[in-house]
Amino acid sequence: MTDAARDLLRFIDASPTPYHAVGEVTRRLEAAGFARLTETEPWSLTPGARHFVVRSESSLLAFEVGEAALADAGFHAIGAHTDSPNLRVKPSPDVTSHGCRQLAIEPYGGVLLHTWLDRDLSLAGRVVIATPSGLRSVNLDFARPLLRIPNLAIHLQRETKTEGIKLNEQTHLVPVIGLESAPPLAQLLAEELRAQGHGALEPRAIHGFDLMLYDTQPSCVSGARGEFLHAPRLDNLASCHAALRALASARRAPLPPFTRVVVLYDHEEVGSRSAQGAQSGFLADSLARIVEATKSGGPQGLPRSLAR
């Protein structure tokens, strides 16, 4: 297996959610010499500058300014998305039934529902907590088997052999998280955040979350010669990984005339129409700022740059 393939598997395992994917991309970009910008501050750029900007913690745009004026050389861009079909926790998550505590979930994107049955599932995403200085969002990953969506025994659904599995999204996919006496989700989140060093939190400090289920089985290689890669979220983390490696490792001497850009969007699986999706102004706004910040666009710099 090539080093690139091994690195892809590491990247996927480090990215159970779009928030974690952007966090991993951020870590790798900073290691490659890219500096973070914010959308709230003015940008000033020179040829060779390597930067990235994050929106809503789940979309990211990175770029390297080329040698020539943008109006003369334009952009070379790659786009991908950070989200994948999965199961997400509802805002009011706590459910009890038949002596068990469960979590209410909602399918996100075009989920193949049957693939989530009988797997060791964990929980990851973003949690908003109250602190003395105000609300703060943190990434959280339980990183251990926590949930299960059990299949029904064959003698209770004999028609499955001839008719296949027919699943109701709202009644058949409610994962079990413990016995009825198990703590509610807010308490579990507070305990896990405390264990991960976020302070002595109480359940009432949890003000919101965007949490997703994922399979804890690590990505792996199989085949007589190691021909096959097996991993979740290949759509579209494989493209994110390829774009990231291309940008971070691109040759810088001599600096190319054009400006390199990678944009990784959230919410492609549900139509891209969010503030950080592909139909938002994230890319257009960022490209306009790059043209203005390099002060090399000249008259009608942005449309000329885009036409290149």
Side-chain angles (χ1 to χ4, degrees):
M1 181 171 56
T2 66
D3 289 341
R6 291 189 183 91
D7 191 56
L8 169 62
L9 300 187
R10 288 192 293 268
F11 177 78
I12 289 175
D13 287 343
S15 307
T17 75
Y19 304 112
H20 290 83
V22 166
E24 179 66 10
V25 171
T26 294
R27 184 187 69 79
R28 291 173 176 233
L29 286 173
E30 289 176 340
F34 286 74
R36 184 165 185 159
L37 299 173
T38 68
E39 292 190 276
T40 57
E41 299 295 328
W43 299 356
S44 179
L45 305 171
T46 56
R50 304 181 108 190
H51 293 282
F52 67 94
V53 60
V54 174
R55 178 176 285 192
S56 298
E57 301 180 57
S58 61
S59 293
L60 179 146
L61 182 140
F63 62 92
E64 178 188 76
V65 179
E67 184 66 43
L70 281 157
D72 296 328
F75 298 97
H76 284 198
I78 299 175
H81 60 91
T82 59
D83 62 321
S84 304
N86 60 14
L87 304 178
R88 303 202 174 192
V89 180
K90 290 183 177 181
S92 298
D94 296 303
V95 177
T96 56
S97 179
H98 296 85
C100 290
R101 183 174 290 277
Q102 299 173 273
L103 287 185
I105 61 91
E106 183 71 25
Y108 173 89
V111 186
L112 293 174
L113 301 178
H114 67 279
T115 64
W116 291 81
L117 301 178
D118 295 336
R119 291 182 177 270
D120 296 330
L121 303 174
S122 193
L123 206 57
R126 179 171 65 167
V127 181
V128 179
I129 58 176
T131 71
S133 57
L135 295 179
R136 180 166 63 96
S137 65
V138 297
N139 285 355
L140 176 68
D141 182 3
F142 280 86
R144 65 178 185 274
L146 185 68
L147 303 146
R148 198 163 186 96
I149 304 173
N151 212 334
L152 196 60
I154 186 60
H155 59 275
L156 298 177
Q157 51 171 355
R158 295 191 185 280
E159 68 279 3
T160 298
K161 293 181 66 175
T162 55
E163 298 180 14
I165 299 176
K166 298 178 181 179
L167 297 172
N168 182 296
E169 297 177 352
Q170 301 301 325
T171 59
H172 295 154
L173 293 176
V174 188
V176 176
I177 195 170
L179 297 177
E180 196 168 10
S181 58
L185 180 61
Q187 183 175 335
L188 281 177
L189 293 176
E191 292 172 356
E192 190 67 21
L193 288 166
R194 285 199 301 270
Q196 295 187 17
H198 292 287
L201 295 174
E202 297 298 327
R204 63 177 178 272
I206 308 297
H207 277 240
F209 53 78
D210 186 11
L211 297 171
M212 308 161 206
L213 281 62
Y214 72 93
D215 189 351
T216 60
Q217 179 173 323
S219 304
C220 67
V221 177
S222 77
R225 298 289 187 271
E227 302 95 326
F228 304 117
L229 304 181
H230 303 293
R233 302 179 295 280
L234 282 169
D235 179 9
N236 195 256
L237 291 184
S239 297
C240 292
H241 178 261
L244 169 64
R245 281 177 63 96
L247 181 63
S249 63
R251 192 176 69 174
R252 305 192 68 205
L255 194 66
F258 52 83
T259 292
R260 299 174 170 126
V261 177
V262 164
V263 59
L264 310 177
Y265 295 109
D266 195 4
H267 298 149
E268 189 275 343
E269 298 290 349
V270 290
S272 300
R273 292 180 293 178
S274 66
Q276 61 266 42
Q279 294 194 52
S280 71
F282 185 36
L283 176 61
D285 293 345
S286 298
L287 296 184
R289 295 185 70 169
I290 292 171
V291 171
E292 182 178 347
T294 56
K295 298 180 174 60
S296 63
Q300 302 168 18
L302 179 60
R304 290 171 62 200
S305 302
L306 296 179
R308 294 285 182 181

